[in-house]
Amino acid sequence: VLYKESVGMGTPTPVTPEMERVKRNQEICSSVLYKENIGKATPTPVTPEMERVKRNQEIISSVLYKENVGKVTPTPLTPEMERVKRNQEIISSVLYKENVGHATPTPVTPEMERVKRNQEQISSVAYREGLGKATPSPVTPEMERAKRSQEQLSSVLYKEHMAKGTPTPLTPEMERAKRNQENISSVLYSDSFRKQVQGKAAYVLDTPELRRVRETQKHISTVKYHEDFEKSKGSFTPVVTDPITERVKKNMQDFSDISYRGIQRRVVEMERKRVDQDQENLTG
């Protein structure tokens, strides 16, 4: 106070560009001198004890902050406040867009796509590495009962909060739109059926009942076959005799005669004797 009383009235001077330059130079010099006066430090590793102390300090700071907060009086959110809030959001959005300058779009190159995929994979791997091991717990009947109870309570509360609706008459236009929707659904279902189901076999379990039915069908088929065979027995189907059929028939008869009379066997024995005789002549 005494210092200020002894200070006389001064004459304000405008801040010139030269003064701004000198001021910036002084700040840079001060920063350089400050960094030069700092000595070399020895880094220390972050130990679990330091982590624990840091977490405790954060918890204590949070508790003290909440204790220092006084009691406030809640005010209801009126429609006027909602309107002002929306106007502020719209104004902020408009001002933000006005301050954004013109940007130059750049094409997405294959290299950028590759880097993006690599970053996603690295993020996924790092996220999974940070996950700890969990202990699976079985779903007990008590948990199932509590889950069903919660679902029932949620359904009851949801129905209680629902407002009353106003029934509307079913006009011909609504009927037409409903039929069109059914037709479209039928077409889409048929397309899906043809793509997913049609042409694929359905697997059926081989039960004893199915095996019994299959055996019965075989017996019925055998009886029907013998019945048809007995009816057609004694009848013949005439065929036309052509030169090719005659030649084949004659060849088959010659083969049968050779096999029956043993001519082929004698020819083989004579050939073996001839070979043995030739060997004797060569050695003799």
Side-chain angles (χ1 to χ4, degrees):
V1 176
L2 295 174
Y3 170 75
K4 291 182 180 179
E5 288 179 354
S6 61
V7 174
M9 293 184 180
T11 303
T13 57
V15 179
T16 61
E18 182 66 20
M19 294 173 67
E20 289 285 343
R21 185 182 63 79
V22 172
K23 185 178 178 181
R24 282 198 300 272
N25 291 338
Q26 287 294 329
E27 291 176 354
I28 294 170
C29 291
S30 300
S31 175
V32 171
L33 292 174
Y34 173 75
K35 291 181 180 178
E36 287 179 354
N37 293 329
I38 295 176
K40 295 182 180 179
T42 305
T44 57
V46 180
T47 60
E49 182 65 19
M50 294 173 68
E51 289 284 343
R52 185 183 63 79
V53 172
K54 185 178 178 181
R55 283 197 300 272
N56 291 340
Q57 288 292 332
E58 291 174 355
I59 296 169
I60 292 169
S61 300
S62 175
V63 172
L64 293 175
Y65 172 76
K66 292 180 180 178
E67 288 179 354
N68 294 329
V69 174
K71 295 182 179 179
V72 296
T73 304
T75 57
L77 195 59
T78 61
E80 181 67 16
M81 295 173 68
E82 287 284 344
R83 185 182 65 79
V84 172
K85 184 178 179 181
R86 283 197 300 273
N87 291 339
Q88 288 294 330
E89 291 176 354
I90 293 169
I91 292 169
S92 300
S93 175
V94 171
L95 293 175
Y96 173 75
K97 292 180 180 178
E98 287 179 354
N99 294 329
V100 174
H102 292 284
T104 304
T106 58
V108 180
T109 60
E111 182 66 18
M112 294 171 69
E113 288 286 341
R114 185 183 63 80
V115 172
K116 185 178 178 182
R117 284 197 300 271
N118 291 341
Q119 286 294 329
E120 291 175 355
Q121 293 171 359
I122 292 169
S123 299
S124 176
V125 172
Y127 171 75
R128 292 181 182 176
E129 288 178 354
L131 290 174
K133 295 182 180 179
T135 304
S137 59
V139 180
T140 60
E142 183 65 19
M143 294 172 68
E144 288 285 343
R145 185 186 63 79
K147 184 178 178 181
R148 284 196 300 271
S149 299
Q150 287 293 330
E151 290 175 354
Q152 293 170 1
L153 291 173
S154 300
S155 177
V156 171
L157 293 174
Y158 173 74
K159 292 179 181 178
E160 288 179 355
H161 293 317
M162 288 180 66
K164 295 182 179 179
T166 304
T168 57
L170 195 61
T171 61
E173 182 66 19
M174 294 172 68
E175 286 285 345
R176 184 182 64 79
K178 184 178 179 182
R179 283 196 301 273
N180 290 340
Q181 287 294 328
E182 290 176 354
N183 293 335
I184 292 170
S185 299
S186 177
V187 171
L188 293 175
Y189 173 77
S190 299
D191 291 341
S192 177
F193 174 78
R194 281 194 294 270
K195 291 178 181 178
Q196 298 180 6
V197 180
Q198 192 173 11
K200 296 181 180 179
Y203 296 96
V204 182
L205 295 177
D206 192 11
T207 59
E209 182 66 20
L210 286 173
R211 286 196 292 271
R212 185 184 64 78
V213 172
R214 190 162 58 245
E215 290 294 331
T216 305
Q217 288 293 332
K218 288 181 180 178
H219 294 327
I220 293 171
S221 299
T222 305
V223 171
K224 181 68 176 174
Y225 172 76
H226 284 292
E227 184 180 351
D228 294 340
F229 176 74
E230 292 294 332
K231 287 181 181 179
S232 62
K233 189 167 62 174
S235 61
F236 61 92
T237 303
V239 294
V240 180
T241 304
D242 54 356
I244 296 176
T245 306
E246 289 289 339
R247 184 174 59 80
V248 172
K249 184 177 179 181
K250 185 174 180 302
N251 291 337
M252 293 301 293
Q253 189 172 358
D254 293 341
F255 290 148
S256 299
D257 291 343
I258 290 171
S259 299
Y260 176 73
R261 294 174 184 175
I263 295 174
Q264 184 70 21
R265 185 172 60 254
R266 287 198 296 272
V267 170
V268 173
E269 290 178 357
M270 291 173 65
E271 183 68 20
R272 188 172 59 250
K273 289 180 180 179
R274 188 182 63 80
V275 171
D276 293 341
Q277 189 175 0
D278 292 339
Q279 290 290 337
E280 290 177 359
N281 294 332
L282 291 173
T283 56

